[in-house]
Amino acid sequence: MLGREVAVAVGLRSRVLGLALLDRERAGAGLLIPRCRSVHTFGMRFPLDVHFLDEHGRAIAVHRCVPPNRVRSERRAVAVLEIPTPSVASGGELERPPT
């Protein structure tokens, strides 16, 4: 996804926890959560870039640098890609990719 090799959350536990409770190194390149429109960052130890994807795997909304203890949703999404934020930037802004 997006030029990265990421794990796919298939079981209930991996879908509910996502990358929570992991340190940045164990989180790897990220996590793809199919059939998902909403994620939380409760239990996260680092900020995430959250990419909401359409049925073709294209980003329809991106939330950058989402800190712990937040919820982000996109009703049009069919999957979510969680990626550890590479560097600390200011505040989890919403970015809409060009159509």
Side-chain angles (χ1 to χ4, degrees):
M1 297 300 311
L2 301 176
R4 298 168 177 260
E5 188 170 319
V6 298
V8 178
V10 290
L12 180 61
R13 180 177 168 84
S14 64
R15 292 179 60 80
V16 170
L17 287 178
L19 299 177
L21 307 177
L22 299 177
D23 59 29
R24 188 180 293 267
E25 293 75 35
R26 288 195 56 217
L31 179 69
L32 176 65
I33 308 171
R35 301 175 319 280
C36 181
R37 295 180 180 164
S38 182
V39 295
H40 68 83
T41 60
F42 298 103
M44 291 301 303
R45 297 178 178 174
F46 49 87
L48 290 178
D49 289 349
V50 179
H51 300 253
F52 289 95
L53 308 176
D54 69 9
E55 61 275 2
H56 303 290
R58 294 181 300 227
I60 54 175
V62 179
H63 295 258
R64 301 244 182 240
C65 199
V66 179
N69 305 316
R70 303 294 194 281
V71 174
R72 295 292 185 263
S73 301
E74 173 55 59
R75 63 180 172 80
R76 301 173 298 151
V78 299
V80 176
L81 178 61
E82 296 181 342
I83 298 174
T85 299
S87 63
V88 177
S90 61
E93 297 127 28
L94 173 64
E95 175 184 311
R96 296 247 181 227
T99 54

